[in-house]
Amino acid sequence: QKEVEQNSGPLSVPEGAIASLNCTYSDRGSQSFFWYRQYSGKSPELIMSIYSNGDKEDGRFTAQLNKASQYVSLLIRDSQPSDSATYLCAVNGGGNNRLAFGKGNQVVVIP
Amino acid sequence: GAVVSQHPSWVICKSGTSVKIECRSLDFQATTMFWYRQFPKQSLMLMATSNEGSKATYEQGVEKDKFLINHASLTLSTLTVTSAHPEDSSFYICSAPRGSYEQYFGPGTRLTVT
């Protein structure tokens, strides 16, 4: 069974700081990796996708993938109060596009 | 802009009635769509995979006779909650993959059963 782990508890960061979120996955054959942001009462929104080892940057977000270590992370630079949300790590093993989700990490940016 | 829509965004119904929720991919075709349920402060729970042209695939523990899924076309999937009860009150969200990998969520439907 594919598992995605996000073990950190709620993360509080001061405005302007870097928020760092980590995720590990169990299926070594996984091909695609995603980070979603979910505001309270809203549906998840895709913010980053990464498919190959290394870093991918998009604005203030950087996703990092290490397939050998089965590890994917998300960095949020210059954190803003609007970044306060739950961040979901999702992994796709291929085939039917079915995603395995982590339980999410709540981020609170303190003004 | 939004690439997946859902209708209605919220619905209140009486216990014992049925409710239909529509999920549409707006500018792409989706042979597969997914239906999730999320209770307050809990994780997304995949309920079923909607397959165009074939039967839906339900996750373990999800009653297929209670949650009817019909993938009517390449852009439309519907979820019907039959004989709804208060415990079915939840946030129902659909998603659809665009292209090979990226999956987009609809805005969700909040169901309240009284």
Side-chain angles (χ1 to χ4, degrees), chain A residues 1-36:
Chain A
Q1 184 174 353
K2 299 174 184 177
E3 292 184 353
V4 179
E5 297 285 341
Q6 291 180 258
N7 290 329
S8 300
L11 179 65
S12 293
V13 296
E15 185 174 355
I18 296 175
S20 177
L21 303 172
N22 303 317
C23 171
T24 59
Y25 58 95
S26 63
D27 184 1
R28 189 171 288 279
S30 298
Q31 299 292 322
S32 313
F33 308 85
F34 308 94
W35 284 97
Y36 288 85

mmCIF file of all heavy atoms in Angstrom, chain A residues 1-36:
data_model
loop_
_atom_site.group_PDB
_atom_site.id
_atom_site.type_symbol
_atom_site.label_atom_id
_atom_site.label_comp_id
_atom_site.label_asym_id
_atom_site.label_seq_id
_atom_site.Cartn_x
_atom_site.Cartn_y
_atom_site.Cartn_z
ATOM 1 N N GLN A 1 0.843 -1.189 0.000
ATOM 2 C CA GLN A 1 0.000 0.000 0.000
ATOM 3 C C GLN A 1 0.878 1.239 0.000
ATOM 4 O O GLN A 1 1.824 1.338 0.754
ATOM 5 C CB GLN A 1 -0.906 0.000 1.231
ATOM 6 C CG GLN A 1 -1.880 1.144 1.271
ATOM 7 C CD GLN A 1 -2.863 1.038 2.424
ATOM 8 O OE1 GLN A 1 -2.885 0.037 3.119
ATOM 9 N NE2 GLN A 1 -3.667 2.056 2.620
ATOM 10 N N LYS A 2 0.535 2.163 -0.875
ATOM 11 C CA LYS A 2 1.338 3.367 -0.965
ATOM 12 C C LYS A 2 1.057 4.236 0.233
ATOM 13 O O LYS A 2 -0.085 4.454 0.611
ATOM 14 C CB LYS A 2 0.971 4.108 -2.257
ATOM 15 C CG LYS A 2 1.227 3.307 -3.507
ATOM 16 C CD LYS A 2 0.719 4.028 -4.736
ATOM 17 C CE LYS A 2 0.894 3.144 -5.967
ATOM 18 N NZ LYS A 2 0.339 3.804 -7.175
ATOM 19 N N GLU A 3 2.132 4.773 0.832
ATOM 20 C CA GLU A 3 1.977 5.638 1.986
ATOM 21 C C GLU A 3 2.771 6.903 1.776
ATOM 22 O O GLU A 3 3.875 6.881 1.216
ATOM 23 C CB GLU A 3 2.464 4.928 3.260
ATOM 24 C CG GLU A 3 1.585 3.761 3.682
ATOM 25 C CD GLU A 3 2.029 3.153 4.991
ATOM 26 O OE1 GLU A 3 3.081 3.552 5.495
ATOM 27 O OE2 GLU A 3 1.331 2.259 5.497
ATOM 28 N N VAL A 4 2.200 7.980 2.246
ATOM 29 C CA VAL A 4 2.842 9.281 2.198
ATOM 30 C C VAL A 4 2.798 9.830 3.617
ATOM 31 O O VAL A 4 1.729 9.923 4.220
ATOM 32 C CB VAL A 4 2.119 10.219 1.221
ATOM 33 C CG1 VAL A 4 2.779 11.584 1.211
ATOM 34 C CG2 VAL A 4 2.116 9.611 -0.179
ATOM 35 N N GLU A 5 3.945 10.180 4.118
ATOM 36 C CA GLU A 5 4.043 10.619 5.507
ATOM 37 C C GLU A 5 4.433 12.086 5.588
ATOM 38 O O GLU A 5 5.406 12.530 4.966
ATOM 39 C CB GLU A 5 5.096 9.789 6.255
ATOM 40 C CG GLU A 5 4.766 8.309 6.367
ATOM 41 C CD GLU A 5 3.691 8.035 7.393
ATOM 42 O OE1 GLU A 5 3.450 8.894 8.256
ATOM 43 O OE2 GLU A 5 3.090 6.944 7.333
ATOM 44 N N GLN A 6 3.657 12.802 6.355
ATOM 45 C CA GLN A 6 4.007 14.166 6.715
ATOM 46 C C GLN A 6 3.934 14.213 8.227
ATOM 47 O O GLN A 6 2.851 14.267 8.798
ATOM 48 C CB GLN A 6 3.019 15.170 6.101
ATOM 49 C CG GLN A 6 3.097 15.291 4.606
ATOM 50 C CD GLN A 6 2.082 16.297 4.072
ATOM 51 O OE1 GLN A 6 1.039 15.926 3.545
ATOM 52 N NE2 GLN A 6 2.399 17.573 4.209
ATOM 53 N N ASN A 7 5.054 14.114 8.865
ATOM 54 C CA ASN A 7 5.061 13.888 10.296
ATOM 55 C C ASN A 7 5.067 15.136 11.156
ATOM 56 O O ASN A 7 4.755 15.078 12.328
ATOM 57 C CB ASN A 7 6.266 13.022 10.676
ATOM 58 C CG ASN A 7 6.099 11.602 10.179
ATOM 59 O OD1 ASN A 7 4.986 11.109 10.081
ATOM 60 N ND2 ASN A 7 7.189 10.956 9.832
ATOM 61 N N SER A 8 5.466 16.247 10.589
ATOM 62 C CA SER A 8 5.592 17.444 11.420
ATOM 63 C C SER A 8 4.238 17.938 11.876
ATOM 64 O O SER A 8 3.245 17.841 11.157
ATOM 65 C CB SER A 8 6.283 18.558 10.630
ATOM 66 O OG SER A 8 7.565 18.153 10.233
ATOM 67 N N GLY A 9 4.209 18.469 13.078
ATOM 68 C CA GLY A 9 2.981 19.060 13.589
ATOM 69 C C GLY A 9 2.776 20.444 13.013
ATOM 70 O O GLY A 9 3.462 20.836 12.071
ATOM 71 N N PRO A 10 1.845 21.221 13.542
ATOM 72 C CA PRO A 10 1.643 22.580 13.046
ATOM 73 C C PRO A 10 2.953 23.369 13.076
ATOM 74 O O PRO A 10 3.729 23.264 14.023
ATOM 75 C CB PRO A 10 0.616 23.150 14.024
ATOM 76 C CG PRO A 10 -0.099 21.964 14.555
ATOM 77 C CD PRO A 10 0.918 20.875 14.614
ATOM 78 N N LEU A 11 3.163 24.156 12.036
ATOM 79 C CA LEU A 11 4.379 24.937 11.900
ATOM 80 C C LEU A 11 4.041 26.416 11.985
ATOM 81 O O LEU A 11 3.262 26.918 11.183
ATOM 82 C CB LEU A 11 5.047 24.618 10.556
ATOM 83 C CG LEU A 11 6.329 25.365 10.219
ATOM 84 C CD1 LEU A 11 7.432 24.988 11.192
ATOM 85 C CD2 LEU A 11 6.754 25.056 8.782
ATOM 86 N N SER A 12 4.616 27.077 12.967
ATOM 87 C CA SER A 12 4.434 28.519 13.102
ATOM 88 C C SER A 12 5.711 29.217 12.675
ATOM 89 O O SER A 12 6.797 28.876 13.160
ATOM 90 C CB SER A 12 4.110 28.902 14.555
ATOM 91 O OG SER A 12 2.851 28.395 14.938
ATOM 92 N N VAL A 13 5.581 30.147 11.756
ATOM 93 C CA VAL A 13 6.744 30.892 11.285
ATOM 94 C C VAL A 13 6.427 32.382 11.298
ATOM 95 O O VAL A 13 5.289 32.784 11.041
ATOM 96 C CB VAL A 13 7.176 30.467 9.859
ATOM 97 C CG1 VAL A 13 7.629 29.020 9.846
ATOM 98 C CG2 VAL A 13 6.053 30.680 8.870
ATOM 99 N N PRO A 14 7.418 33.212 11.613
ATOM 100 C CA PRO A 14 7.177 34.660 11.559
ATOM 101 C C PRO A 14 7.115 35.114 10.107
ATOM 102 O O PRO A 14 7.719 34.515 9.203
ATOM 103 C CB PRO A 14 8.390 35.245 12.290
ATOM 104 C CG PRO A 14 9.427 34.181 12.250
ATOM 105 C CD PRO A 14 8.735 32.882 12.150
ATOM 106 N N GLU A 15 6.372 36.163 9.891
ATOM 107 C CA GLU A 15 6.273 36.738 8.552
ATOM 108 C C GLU A 15 7.658 37.079 8.030
ATOM 109 O O GLU A 15 8.499 37.642 8.744
ATOM 110 C CB GLU A 15 5.407 37.992 8.597
ATOM 111 C CG GLU A 15 5.144 38.613 7.240
ATOM 112 C CD GLU A 15 4.153 39.768 7.326
ATOM 113 O OE1 GLU A 15 3.602 40.017 8.414
ATOM 114 O OE2 GLU A 15 3.917 40.424 6.291
ATOM 115 N N GLY A 16 7.891 36.695 6.778
ATOM 116 C CA GLY A 16 9.178 36.960 6.149
ATOM 117 C C GLY A 16 10.174 35.820 6.277
ATOM 118 O O GLY A 16 11.198 35.808 5.580
ATOM 119 N N ALA A 17 9.889 34.860 7.121
ATOM 120 C CA ALA A 17 10.804 33.731 7.317
ATOM 121 C C ALA A 17 10.536 32.645 6.272
ATOM 122 O O ALA A 17 9.622 32.751 5.456
ATOM 123 C CB ALA A 17 10.648 33.167 8.724
ATOM 124 N N ILE A 18 11.362 31.599 6.333
ATOM 125 C CA ILE A 18 11.200 30.458 5.437
ATOM 126 C C ILE A 18 10.455 29.338 6.157
ATOM 127 O O ILE A 18 10.813 28.955 7.269
ATOM 128 C CB ILE A 18 12.571 29.923 4.959
ATOM 129 C CG1 ILE A 18 13.287 30.971 4.115
ATOM 130 C CG2 ILE A 18 12.391 28.633 4.149
ATOM 131 C CD1 ILE A 18 14.693 30.570 3.712
ATOM 132 N N ALA A 19 9.421 28.831 5.527
ATOM 133 C CA ALA A 19 8.712 27.661 6.046
ATOM 134 C C ALA A 19 9.196 26.447 5.278
ATOM 135 O O ALA A 19 9.272 26.471 4.049
ATOM 136 C CB ALA A 19 7.208 27.833 5.884
ATOM 137 N N SER A 20 9.514 25.385 6.009
ATOM 138 C CA SER A 20 10.043 24.175 5.387
ATOM 139 C C SER A 20 9.158 22.992 5.747
ATOM 140 O O SER A 20 8.929 22.699 6.923
ATOM 141 C CB SER A 20 11.476 23.921 5.875
ATOM 142 O OG SER A 20 11.978 22.716 5.330
ATOM 143 N N LEU A 21 8.668 22.324 4.718
ATOM 144 C CA LEU A 21 7.774 21.182 4.913
ATOM 145 C C LEU A 21 8.393 19.944 4.272
ATOM 146 O O LEU A 21 8.960 20.019 3.183
ATOM 147 C CB LEU A 21 6.414 21.466 4.263
ATOM 148 C CG LEU A 21 5.698 22.720 4.755
ATOM 149 C CD1 LEU A 21 4.468 22.991 3.906
ATOM 150 C CD2 LEU A 21 5.318 22.581 6.214
ATOM 151 N N ASN A 22 8.244 18.818 4.949
ATOM 152 C CA ASN A 22 8.865 17.577 4.483
ATOM 153 C C ASN A 22 7.836 16.478 4.276
ATOM 154 O O ASN A 22 6.794 16.441 4.944
ATOM 155 C CB ASN A 22 9.904 17.102 5.495
ATOM 156 C CG ASN A 22 10.964 18.142 5.756
ATOM 157 O OD1 ASN A 22 11.451 18.766 4.833
ATOM 158 N ND2 ASN A 22 11.272 18.348 7.021
ATOM 159 N N CYS A 23 8.170 15.565 3.394
ATOM 160 C CA CYS A 23 7.263 14.478 3.052
ATOM 161 C C CYS A 23 8.094 13.285 2.609
ATOM 162 O O CYS A 23 9.058 13.453 1.844
ATOM 163 C CB CYS A 23 6.340 14.963 1.925
ATOM 164 S SG CYS A 23 5.292 13.723 1.160
ATOM 165 N N THR A 24 7.747 12.112 3.086
ATOM 166 C CA THR A 24 8.385 10.885 2.604
ATOM 167 C C THR A 24 7.315 9.963 2.042
ATOM 168 O O THR A 24 6.137 10.049 2.415
ATOM 169 C CB THR A 24 9.149 10.155 3.728
ATOM 170 O OG1 THR A 24 8.227 9.834 4.782
ATOM 171 C CG2 THR A 24 10.287 11.004 4.270
ATOM 172 N N TYR A 25 7.740 9.099 1.132
ATOM 173 C CA TYR A 25 6.784 8.197 0.505
ATOM 174 C C TYR A 25 7.380 6.799 0.444
ATOM 175 O O TYR A 25 8.593 6.615 0.451
ATOM 176 C CB TYR A 25 6.404 8.696 -0.892
ATOM 177 C CG TYR A 25 7.560 8.859 -1.844
ATOM 178 C CD1 TYR A 25 7.909 7.842 -2.732
ATOM 179 C CD2 TYR A 25 8.309 10.032 -1.859
ATOM 180 C CE1 TYR A 25 8.969 7.986 -3.602
ATOM 181 C CE2 TYR A 25 9.376 10.179 -2.728
ATOM 182 C CZ TYR A 25 9.702 9.162 -3.597
ATOM 183 O OH TYR A 25 10.759 9.310 -4.461
ATOM 184 N N SER A 26 6.497 5.816 0.395
ATOM 185 C CA SER A 26 6.960 4.436 0.509
ATOM 186 C C SER A 26 7.146 3.738 -0.841
ATOM 187 O O SER A 26 7.963 2.803 -0.935
ATOM 188 C CB SER A 26 5.964 3.630 1.352
ATOM 189 O OG SER A 26 4.694 3.592 0.710
ATOM 190 N N ASP A 27 6.419 4.164 -1.862
ATOM 191 C CA ASP A 27 6.477 3.469 -3.146
ATOM 192 C C ASP A 27 7.637 3.988 -3.979
ATOM 193 O O ASP A 27 7.588 5.091 -4.523
ATOM 194 C CB ASP A 27 5.153 3.660 -3.897
ATOM 195 C CG ASP A 27 5.117 2.882 -5.210
ATOM 196 O OD1 ASP A 27 6.094 2.177 -5.551
ATOM 197 O OD2 ASP A 27 4.095 2.983 -5.904
ATOM 198 N N ARG A 28 8.672 3.171 -4.097
ATOM 199 C CA ARG A 28 9.866 3.600 -4.816
ATOM 200 C C ARG A 28 9.599 3.828 -6.304
ATOM 201 O O ARG A 28 10.338 4.521 -6.982
ATOM 202 C CB ARG A 28 10.977 2.555 -4.624
ATOM 203 C CG ARG A 28 12.331 2.953 -5.132
ATOM 204 C CD ARG A 28 13.399 1.974 -4.702
ATOM 205 N NE ARG A 28 13.704 2.075 -3.282
ATOM 206 C CZ ARG A 28 14.517 2.998 -2.758
ATOM 207 N NH1 ARG A 28 15.113 3.874 -3.535
ATOM 208 N NH2 ARG A 28 14.749 3.019 -1.466
ATOM 209 N N GLY A 29 8.516 3.259 -6.803
ATOM 210 C CA GLY A 29 8.169 3.430 -8.203
ATOM 211 C C GLY A 29 7.385 4.693 -8.503
ATOM 212 O O GLY A 29 6.980 4.923 -9.646
ATOM 213 N N SER A 30 7.154 5.524 -7.513
ATOM 214 C CA SER A 30 6.379 6.747 -7.714
ATOM 215 C C SER A 30 7.060 7.651 -8.728
ATOM 216 O O SER A 30 8.283 7.765 -8.766
ATOM 217 C CB SER A 30 6.202 7.484 -6.389
ATOM 218 O OG SER A 30 5.474 6.684 -5.473
ATOM 219 N N GLN A 31 6.239 8.293 -9.550
ATOM 220 C CA GLN A 31 6.762 9.073 -10.658
ATOM 221 C C GLN A 31 6.529 10.574 -10.528
ATOM 222 O O GLN A 31 7.298 11.377 -11.058
ATOM 223 C CB GLN A 31 6.102 8.602 -11.954
ATOM 224 C CG GLN A 31 6.354 7.146 -12.289
ATOM 225 C CD GLN A 31 7.803 6.876 -12.653
ATOM 226 O OE1 GLN A 31 8.434 7.693 -13.311
ATOM 227 N NE2 GLN A 31 8.326 5.750 -12.190
ATOM 228 N N SER A 32 5.427 10.940 -9.898
ATOM 229 C CA SER A 32 5.030 12.355 -9.883
ATOM 230 C C SER A 32 4.724 12.785 -8.458
ATOM 231 O O SER A 32 4.147 12.017 -7.682
ATOM 232 C CB SER A 32 3.778 12.561 -10.746
ATOM 233 O OG SER A 32 3.912 11.931 -11.991
ATOM 234 N N PHE A 33 5.076 14.035 -8.173
ATOM 235 C CA PHE A 33 4.979 14.510 -6.794
ATOM 236 C C PHE A 33 4.390 15.914 -6.795
ATOM 237 O O PHE A 33 4.761 16.748 -7.626
ATOM 238 C CB PHE A 33 6.370 14.505 -6.143
ATOM 239 C CG PHE A 33 7.052 13.174 -6.288
ATOM 240 C CD1 PHE A 33 7.776 12.869 -7.433
ATOM 241 C CD2 PHE A 33 6.917 12.215 -5.305
ATOM 242 C CE1 PHE A 33 8.373 11.632 -7.594
ATOM 243 C CE2 PHE A 33 7.523 10.965 -5.455
ATOM 244 C CZ PHE A 33 8.236 10.675 -6.597
ATOM 245 N N PHE A 34 3.497 16.148 -5.860
ATOM 246 C CA PHE A 34 2.749 17.406 -5.868
ATOM 247 C C PHE A 34 2.620 17.972 -4.467
ATOM 248 O O PHE A 34 2.578 17.239 -3.485
ATOM 249 C CB PHE A 34 1.339 17.174 -6.443
ATOM 250 C CG PHE A 34 1.334 16.475 -7.774
ATOM 251 C CD1 PHE A 34 1.194 15.094 -7.844
ATOM 252 C CD2 PHE A 34 1.484 17.180 -8.946
ATOM 253 C CE1 PHE A 34 1.206 14.435 -9.057
ATOM 254 C CE2 PHE A 34 1.489 16.521 -10.176
ATOM 255 C CZ PHE A 34 1.349 15.160 -10.218
ATOM 256 N N TRP A 35 2.523 19.285 -4.428
ATOM 257 C CA TRP A 35 2.142 19.970 -3.196
ATOM 258 C C TRP A 35 0.855 20.745 -3.464
ATOM 259 O O TRP A 35 0.752 21.481 -4.447
ATOM 260 C CB TRP A 35 3.247 20.921 -2.745
ATOM 261 C CG TRP A 35 4.411 20.222 -2.118
ATOM 262 C CD1 TRP A 35 5.583 19.866 -2.720
ATOM 263 C CD2 TRP A 35 4.499 19.771 -0.757
ATOM 264 N NE1 TRP A 35 6.401 19.235 -1.825
ATOM 265 C CE2 TRP A 35 5.760 19.163 -0.608
ATOM 266 C CE3 TRP A 35 3.642 19.832 0.348
ATOM 267 C CZ2 TRP A 35 6.196 18.612 0.603
ATOM 268 C CZ3 TRP A 35 4.068 19.286 1.545
ATOM 269 C CH2 TRP A 35 5.333 18.684 1.672
ATOM 270 N N TYR A 36 -0.088 20.554 -2.565
ATOM 271 C CA TYR A 36 -1.348 21.271 -2.618
ATOM 272 C C TYR A 36 -1.463 22.151 -1.378
ATOM 273 O O TYR A 36 -1.001 21.792 -0.286
ATOM 274 C CB TYR A 36 -2.533 20.297 -2.639
ATOM 275 C CG TYR A 36 -2.721 19.551 -3.938
ATOM 276 C CD1 TYR A 36 -2.012 18.382 -4.199
ATOM 277 C CD2 TYR A 36 -3.606 20.016 -4.905
ATOM 278 C CE1 TYR A 36 -2.185 17.690 -5.391
ATOM 279 C CE2 TYR A 36 -3.785 19.325 -6.103
ATOM 280 C CZ TYR A 36 -3.071 18.167 -6.332
ATOM 281 O OH TYR A 36 -3.251 17.491 -7.519
#
